[in-house]
Amino acid sequence: MPAPAAPHRLRVGLTGGIASGKSTAARAFEALHPGCLVDADAAARAVVAPGSEGLAAVLAAFGEDLRRPDGQLDRAALRQRVFADPAARKQLESLLHPRIRAWMRERAAAASTPLVLLDIPLLTEGGGRAAWPELERILVVDLPPALQRQRLLARDGIDPALAEAMIAAQAPREARLALADDVLVNTGTPEDLAAAVARLAARYLPKG
Ligand code: ADP
């Protein structure tokens, strides 16, 4: 007898600008489908964990002094080192991004939920759909820039100029929306967002 076919898992890429509400939306999906979230932040930490190939590659390229006494990568110092140096930043990205993608792909393949949500904050900047051909839907969390700025300021307690610079460093809103199969408009309350997530999840996974 042939082996039973693996159940289909719908792979959805979640993206949006900084402070658009991706993490809030991701938590709402997790509440509906525990275990569905494959988190890019977790991936970014895992690929430079002590003993990893990724950590060895970063230290070889950027200096052994970036290894903290506890063996962890000094991420803050690394960020500082590449902050004002686009070539170094590119080099770092070329070391990390393929590893992050591979880690997320592995996790997505191992997920047992019918819906797998890949949280990819820099999907638009990092090559878009071509870099993630396995995504069946791209879901963008969207809101007007003024509200985005306001939520970023409130969350991170940074000064307005820095908030502006962080938003300007990302892909423009229009470029993100151009990739979207689905959009979560996050202009209401967090409860509104959770309700919109529930509607979308029901649409992604019709019963029967
Ligand atoms: P991202 O993960 O996209 O950076 P977050 O989910 O962290 O964004 O949301 C940014 C900030 O805005 C957080 O402080 C979050 O609690 C808040 N937030 C998110 N959605 C709403 C909403 N609908 N109403 C009010 N605050 C919100």
Side-chain angles (χ1 to χ4, degrees), residues 16-25 27 151 155 186-190 193:
I18 185 168
S20 59
K22 294 177 299 295
S23 312
T24 308
R27 276 195 299 275
R151 289 195 182 147
R155 186 190 64 187
N186 191 16
T187 51
T189 64
L193 183 64

Side-chain angles (χ1 to χ4, degrees), residues 15-17 20-22 139-145 147-148 151 173-174 176-177 182-188 193:
T15 195
S20 59
K22 294 177 299 295
L139 171 59
V140 172
V141 186
D142 182 60
L143 75 186
L147 188 55
Q148 179 186 19
R151 289 195 182 147
R173 181 186 189 192
E174 296 68 31
R176 269 191 300 274
L177 286 173
D182 307 294
V183 177
L184 281 169
V185 178
N186 191 16
T187 51
L193 183 64

Side-chain angles (χ1 to χ4, degrees), residues 50 64-74:
E64 278 291 331
D65 56 317
L66 290 172
R67 191 202 302 269
R68 294 195 321 211
D70 65 0
Q72 301 278 344
L73 176 63
D74 189 339

Side-chain angles (χ1 to χ4, degrees), residues 118-153:
L118 290 89
D119 171 31
I120 315 173
L122 298 179
L123 176 60
T124 310
E125 294 81 352
R129 205 177 284 272
W132 295 90
E134 73 268 47
L135 296 178
E136 286 156 89
R137 309 290 294 180
I138 291 179
L139 171 59
V140 172
V141 186
D142 182 60
L143 75 186
L147 188 55
Q148 179 186 19
R149 213 173 297 125
Q150 187 185 316
R151 289 195 182 147
L152 177 58
L153 287 174

Side-chain angles (χ1 to χ4, degrees), residues 19-45:
S20 59
K22 294 177 299 295
S23 312
T24 308
R27 276 195 299 275
F29 274 107
E30 261 290 316
L32 292 169
H33 296 285
C36 74
L37 179 64
V38 180
D39 184 9
D41 271 352
R45 283 191 298 275

